[in-house]
Amino acid sequence: MGGMAVPLIVLPRRHSPTGPEIIRATVRFVLAVVFLFAAVPKLMDPAGFVTAIEGFRLVPRSVAWVAAFWVPWLEIVAAIGLLLIPTERAARLLYGSLLVFFLVILASAAARGLDVDCGCFGAGPEGTTSSIPGTMLRNIVLLIALVLSARRPPPLTTHPGTPPLAAAPGS
Amino acid sequence: MVRSGSHGLRPHSLSTVSTLRSFAILIGIATVGAALTAWLHPEPPPWERPVPDGAISAATLAGWLSADPPPLVLDARPATEFNAGSVPGAIHFPEDDYETGLMRLIEAWSPGRRVVVFCGAQSCELSRHLALRLQGDLGDPGIVYLDGGWEAWLSH
């Protein structure tokens, strides 16, 4: 090794939350609340959500029932996971996947000229319809907020005077 | 955190694996929750809920069909579905051609005869809208729609 300095210890830089980090955490909190508010009415009234799903005329009733039981729970775990550090990345992936999935379904309904209740926040009163472009726009805003609010991992630093990790022997 | 720099997965791979593992765990928790919901809250199908105003249940329609004269039943589903099977004696009322449907109805209708409109399923709003429109055009407030539509009729 001939006296070559090898970085043995990599420490996370200790720092107080900065303004942008606080904003990102707040946005994640808001995103979690949105999904929780969306999930609870659907969880309490699966039959109403089945009706909303059927309005999209994409899946048979049996699949609609599975979705009616499953989607609210996916939203709940995505929302709670977003607030916990160990699951934040996975929850972001799940949250984003759900939003993209919803967007595709809404786009398909719009393309077929359907006038439906999206059921996003539970079934509305009889005859309720949603503005599909408005709902799609809301989902796009949520998606953008999700991407921008990603928690940045604390940068790893080595002791001063050591070469970067990439230059370490054997790496 | 101690790092030898000579072995092990790179941090990026580690974090991807860890994210995917967490993702699978989240999906698993949601699936368990969904199974619990299905088990604890067996909801009745929508057509077993109270029948809304202006609608009748499939059982009521079945009763009406055995009366004399039977009600005029208007099938507002697409022609292909109507041709594949419908309520006995139903008249096809094309969704996109109200005038034709109205003419077919007027040919068979007489004041006081019951009229029931139906479409595909509970989620189909067409039959309700059609019943309201026909109430105005025929001046008969008794025109109703079938709650739950064709699916409810099949299941009753």
Side-chain angles (χ1 to χ4, degrees):
Chain A
M1 306 290 255
M4 181 181 289
V6 178
L8 290 177
I9 301 176
V10 183
L11 296 172
R13 191 171 62 196
R14 295 183 188 283
H15 59 300
S16 311
T18 60
E21 280 168 354
I22 292 171
I23 292 171
R24 283 196 290 268
T26 307
V27 172
R28 286 199 302 276
F29 179 77
V30 171
L31 288 169
V33 169
V34 169
F35 256 33
L36 286 176
F37 266 91
V40 170
K42 286 183 280 205
L43 198 60
M44 304 308 289
D45 181 21
F49 190 36
V50 165
T51 303
I53 295 171
E54 287 194 313
F56 287 90
R57 302 182 203 175
L58 283 172
V59 291
R61 175 170 290 260
S62 51
V63 177
W65 273 101
V66 172
F69 287 131
W70 208 27
V71 168
W73 278 101
L74 289 172
E75 290 173 335
I76 288 171
V77 296
I80 295 173
L82 206 56
L83 302 177
L84 306 175
I85 290 175
T87 53
E88 190 255 345
R89 281 189 72 186
R92 195 144 37 88
L93 184 62
L94 178 57
Y95 200 116
S97 306
L98 285 169
L99 284 177
V100 171
F101 178 64
F102 296 153
L103 274 170
V104 169
I105 288 175
L106 287 165
S108 130
R112 287 174 292 142
L114 294 182
D115 187 19
V116 293
D117 169 20
C118 80
C120 311
F121 292 87
E126 184 82 14
T128 303
T129 55
S130 315
S131 151
I132 290 184
T135 309
M136 290 182 74
L137 182 65
R138 184 180 64 211
N139 281 9
I140 290 169
V141 169
L142 289 174
L143 202 53
I144 293 170
L146 183 72
V147 171
L148 295 181
S149 68
R151 192 171 57 84
R152 310 284 198 273
L156 298 178
T157 55
T158 55
H159 288 296
T162 54
L165 266 181
S171 66
Chain B
M1 184 176 176
V2 178
R3 180 180 294 282
S4 73
S6 59
H7 68 276
L9 289 166
R10 286 180 299 171
H12 180 71
S13 312
L14 269 175
S15 97
T16 303
V17 169
S18 147
T19 300
L20 291 177
R21 189 187 299 129
S22 300
F23 185 81
I25 291 170
L26 291 180
I27 299 282
I29 294 171
T31 306
V32 170
L36 273 176
T37 312
W39 184 52
L40 291 174
H41 302 283
E43 288 283 338
W47 58 81
E48 287 181 12
R49 292 190 293 175
V51 176
D53 288 342
I56 59 164
S57 68
T60 303
L61 175 59
W64 285 9
L65 284 172
S66 58
D68 186 25
L72 282 172
V73 182
L74 304 182
D75 186 338
R77 296 174 303 150
T80 49
E81 294 180 27
F82 172 74
N83 292 331
S86 187
V87 173
I91 299 168
H92 184 234
F93 199 108
E95 178 181 2
D96 50 0
D97 190 353
Y98 180 79
E99 300 304 325
T100 301
L102 188 61
M103 289 305 295
R104 287 176 185 168
L105 170 60
I106 288 173
E107 281 172 16
W109 182 71
S110 54
R113 191 168 177 189
R114 285 165 167 159
V115 177
V116 181
V117 191
F118 76 93
C119 52
Q122 179 78 24
S123 54
C124 174
E125 286 291 316
L126 175 66
S127 57
R128 196 174 66 88
H129 294 151
L130 207 51
L132 287 173
R133 188 171 175 185
L134 288 171
Q135 283 176 12
D137 288 352
L138 296 182
D140 181 351
I143 296 175
V144 293
Y145 67 98
L146 174 62
D147 187 39
W150 176 243
E151 287 196 358
W153 176 255
L154 285 180
S155 313
H156 87 279

